[in-house]
Amino acid sequence: AQKITQTQPGMFVQEKEAVTLDCTYDTSDPSYGLFWYKQPSSGEMIFLIYQGSYDQQNATEGRYSLNFQKARKSANLVISASQLGDSAMYFCAMRSLESQGNLIFGKGTKLSVKP
Amino acid sequence: EADIYQTPRYLVIGTGKKITLECSQTMGHDKMYWYQQDPGMELHLIHYSYGVNSTEKGDLSSESTVSRIRTEHFPLTLESARPSHTSQYLCASSGRGEAFFGQGTRLTVV
């Protein structure tokens, strides 16, 4: 069965430093997509970055990059130069045929950026 | 910016009342979803739809029902609200890429 695991319930980072949020996944599908979403305290879900299972290079979007290690089944999110506005919940998610194309989510990591 | 809208944003309602949470998207997406999320917790899929006249139950059992009469509209209904239904409900839609989410409805049943 598919599963997303985020082992860090909470993380602290100093403003302007980089932080890595961990995500491991489990699926038997050879083709899948991995997503990261940010959820501020206001509650909306904001898409950050996507990595396809066949992508050869790690995805990057501005200050966000995805450290994709397929053999280890990990898809860690790296946020560079943290800002106070980065304080939020971060969710890793996966989609594949096994999930009928639906996104399944991990439990999330609460990131707090300290000034 | 994603064009998916949920109303109401907040709702406090008494036990036993019937409620409908609205969700509309203007992106022409066939796939739509409803997730339930308790504060600070993970999202659980409760319903999804592949398109008009298609509705499927998700991984988390829910007493709610959904309908998909039009591509753009995917309302969720609770026939008789209970305090255990207190939660945030998030609607989403997707094409071939990422899912776009509405702002959510925070439901409190008293």
Side-chain angles (χ1 to χ4, degrees):
Chain A
Q2 290 195 117
K3 190 174 182 181
I4 293 282
T5 302
Q6 295 181 255
T7 57
Q8 305 154 313
M11 289 278 287
F12 287 92
V13 64
Q14 202 68 39
E15 192 178 9
K16 299 180 185 177
E17 292 185 351
V19 62
T20 298
L21 306 183
D22 294 341
C23 172
T24 58
Y25 60 91
D26 192 16
T27 180
S28 57
D29 273 326
S31 177
Y32 50 88
L34 297 158
F35 303 79
W36 277 93
Y37 283 83
K38 172 184 178 182
Q39 187 178 45
S41 57
S42 51
E44 73 268 30
M45 295 286 284
I46 302 167
F47 167 72
L48 296 178
I49 196 166
Y50 165 81
Q51 180 85 40
S53 58
Y54 293 119
D55 292 344
Q56 295 296 313
Q57 298 201 353
N58 288 342
T60 60
E61 288 286 348
R63 294 187 298 113
Y64 305 109
S65 60
L66 203 152
N67 184 3
F68 181 47
Q69 298 186 49
K70 194 170 182 177
R72 300 177 68 177
K73 293 191 173 181
S74 75
N76 299 339
L77 177 71
V78 180
I79 305 175
S80 63
S82 297
Q83 302 172 356
L84 295 177
D86 293 335
S87 294
M89 285 289 289
Y90 288 81
F91 290 95
C92 181
M94 177 171 62
R95 181 166 70 197
S96 73
L97 287 176
E98 189 178 354
S99 67
Q100 290 82 49
N102 300 320
L103 279 175
I104 60 164
F105 286 84
K107 292 183 183 294
T109 296
K110 184 173 182 179
L111 177 67
S112 299
V113 180
K114 297 187 289 185
Chain B
E1 191 169 312
D3 295 320
I4 180 164
Y5 309 100
Q6 288 185 244
T7 58
R9 186 79 195 278
Y10 302 92
L11 179 62
V12 181
I13 200 162
T15 297
K17 299 291 186 183
K18 177 180 179 178
I19 57 170
T20 296
L21 308 185
E22 301 288 350
C23 176
S24 294
Q25 51 98 3
T26 59
M27 295 172 281
H29 289 160
D30 286 326
K31 196 88 180 278
M32 294 189 74
Y33 318 79
W34 277 102
Y35 287 88
Q36 183 176 343
Q37 182 190 27
D38 292 331
M41 305 295 284
E42 66 195 292
L43 282 74
H44 294 284
L45 182 68
I46 52 174
H47 298 284
Y48 62 100
S49 166
Y50 289 107
V52 171
N53 294 326
S54 156
T55 60
E56 305 286 344
K57 290 189 180 296
D59 304 319
L60 181 68
S61 176
S62 173
E63 294 167 343
S64 59
T65 59
V66 292
S67 63
R68 191 86 183 276
I69 298 172
R70 303 196 316 266
T71 297
E72 62 270 22
H73 195 212
F74 192 40
L76 180 146
T77 298
L78 275 166
E79 290 293 333
S80 179
R82 295 208 299 264
S84 60
H85 297 139
T86 294
S87 191
Q88 172 160 256
Y89 294 83
L90 288 158
C91 179
S93 72
S94 67
R96 298 184 67 181
E98 71 270 25
F100 295 93
F101 283 80
Q103 289 192 299
T105 295
R106 296 197 184 193
L107 173 66
T108 302
V109 184
V110 298

